[in-house]
Amino acid sequence: MRLRGEAGNDTGGRPGDSVLDALRGSGVLRLPVPAEYGGLGADWPDANAVITGLARADASVAIIVFLHYAAVSRIIAYGSEEQRKRFLTAVARDGRIFASSWSEPGADAAKQKIATTAVRQADGGWELNGAKTFTTGAGVADLYLVLARTGEEDATPGHYGRLDQGIFVVDSTRPGFTVDGVLDLSGMRRSATGLIRLAGYLTEAGDALIHSRETPVVIGHPHTLGLTLGAVALGIAEEAHDTAIDIGRRRSLLDNPLYRHHVFELGSRLAAIRGVVESATRTHGDRTGHALTAKVFASETAEVICRGAQELAGSTAFSRNHSLNRLSQDARALTLMGPPNYLCRELVATHLGVQ
């Protein structure tokens, strides 16, 4: 799948059609889908590895695929057999892309102030109304997992969201769904991160993934599997490190001990990222703390590596179109995404029982 060369063209706010066509035609989207639904049945360490490889070429595409995998993991974990057959087969057979729509204007990062509503209908479906922002893959994805309020307010402590919320599968081709623009971001500029609106959107009876207090919404479920945005940061860091070496080789700077020592420092940090990311999926049991820790450490260390590579490359690396500048901005954006690093720290502390 060809991504290099496309990544520098970030003005459209979304991947090019040729990239999306290649993505749909490859096995990437169906990688973690179980074989009985037409997928490749790969494990989550392999999924992280693929995300890292994509991030080396284009972190924007990698973040779309990461969130697609996160949605697939929720379908596998919480979907009924009928839902798994419908939605996972659509991924494996038709190349359908999933996105997640959690965030809203005025809502905090912990997703406890969601205003989008879901009202049960007589036929068993739901009517959804509301606006979502910072939806990665807006206008690119075919199906969206939308977080909405289903009942009376319940700000139960200790939850990332609340018990009165549900997750609903929204089909972008049905009436009542619209994409309301793509944001002009500093990093992840081709991730199609934007706004969607739901106005009288009527789901089918089988489109509610979770909608009861007996099954609380676990927004961070993919992290329990070890699926981590640290994998995206690792790909960014690897590309920045190798770019610094290539620049040094082209400029005959690798004979300079000072340059070599700087490259060594970048490499040692890169090795640390790789170790933390790999441990996130190879630890036994609930991997939530490891996955969120990997996201924080990897994204912040990737920023350091990108900045160090820019300093080695010189002033040209701070121009807007230089690959190292793009990588640096992508690493910065990653610290603010799903969930932002400050919230990751709080979630891990709470997960470990540190109050």
Side-chain angles (χ1 to χ4, degrees):
M1 184 170 66
R2 183 179 179 274
L3 293 180
R4 294 185 190 279
E6 295 273 354
N9 179 20
D10 62 6
T11 57
R14 53 170 281 164
D17 290 341
S18 62
V19 172
L20 293 173
D21 289 344
L23 190 63
R24 294 180 192 278
S26 70
V28 169
L29 296 175
R30 61 190 179 102
L31 184 75
V33 173
E36 57 265 38
Y37 305 109
L40 299 178
D43 58 16
W44 296 108
D46 285 341
N48 275 342
V50 167
I51 291 166
T52 294
L54 289 172
R56 291 202 61 161
D58 190 338
S60 292
V61 173
I63 201 77
I64 290 173
V65 172
F66 171 87
L67 292 169
H68 168 79
Y69 287 171
V72 166
S73 79
R74 292 184 175 97
I75 299 293
I76 294 171
Y78 300 116
S80 65
E81 181 59 23
E82 189 276 334
Q83 287 173 327
R84 293 190 193 104
K85 286 180 180 177
R86 279 178 63 198
F87 299 126
L88 297 180
T89 300
V91 170
R93 182 190 61 206
D94 304 324
R96 305 293 291 276
I97 298 175
F98 266 99
S100 295
S101 290
W102 307 137
S103 300
E104 295 184 4
D108 62 21
K111 308 300 183 285
Q112 292 177 336
K113 298 179 181 178
I114 297 299
T116 298
T117 59
V119 178
R120 192 70 175 262
Q121 304 298 292
D123 63 358
W126 298 76
E127 180 179 329
L128 302 182
N129 287 280
K132 296 288 186 179
T133 188
F134 288 102
T135 297
T136 296
V140 168
D142 307 288
L143 299 165
Y144 297 74
L145 294 188
V146 173
L147 184 68
R149 291 180 56 185
T150 58
E152 297 300 321
E153 184 171 339
D154 183 349
T156 303
H159 286 80
Y160 186 13
R162 300 190 319 206
L163 291 179
D164 67 339
Q165 295 174 342
I167 297 178
F168 302 85
V169 180
V170 168
D171 188 326
S172 63
T173 64
R174 291 173 63 88
F177 172 93
T178 57
V179 175
D180 200 21
V182 174
L183 301 171
D184 186 13
L185 304 178
S186 295
M188 301 291 181
R189 288 179 56 80
R190 295 188 337 124
S191 62
T193 297
L195 298 86
I196 68 167
R197 292 190 183 276
L198 299 163
Y201 179 95
L202 298 174
T203 75
E204 296 182 4
D207 290 348
L209 192 63
I210 300 173
H211 61 84
S212 73
R213 291 173 182 270
E214 288 72 31
T215 310
V217 172
V218 183
I219 297 177
H221 165 73
H223 304 133
T224 69
L225 308 171
L227 190 62
T228 174
L229 280 169
V232 178
L234 175 58
I236 292 171
E238 286 181 346
E239 186 67 14
H241 171 263
D242 289 359
T243 298
I245 293 177
D246 289 343
I247 289 172
R249 184 176 292 114
R250 291 198 308 270
R251 297 179 182 175
S252 301
L253 295 172
L254 294 181
D255 293 334
N256 184 326
L258 184 59
Y259 194 97
R260 292 201 305 268
H261 292 176
H262 278 302
V263 170
F264 169 82
E265 293 298 331
L266 300 184
S268 65
R269 289 182 171 88
L270 176 60
I273 293 177
R274 188 175 293 116
V276 170
V277 170
E278 290 179 355
S279 73
T281 46
R282 303 192 185 281
T283 303
H284 296 294
D286 186 344
R287 303 175 179 93
T288 301
H290 296 277
L292 292 174
T293 299
K295 189 264 185 181
V296 173
F297 178 80
S299 60
E300 293 180 1
T301 308
E303 270 199 282
V304 174
I305 291 173
C306 289
R307 187 168 63 247
Q310 285 179 293
E311 290 170 353
L312 290 174
S315 58
T316 183
F318 292 91
S319 63
R320 185 181 182 280
N321 293 323
H322 197 283
S323 63
L324 284 174
N325 187 53
R326 175 179 56 81
L327 291 166
S328 183
Q329 295 292 339
D330 287 347
R332 178 58 180 164
L334 201 56
T335 68
L336 304 173
M337 302 176 76
N341 284 3
Y342 81 88
L343 183 56
C344 287
R345 287 179 165 90
E346 177 61 21
L347 291 172
V348 172
T350 302
H351 184 73
L352 296 175
V354 179
Q355 301 294 333

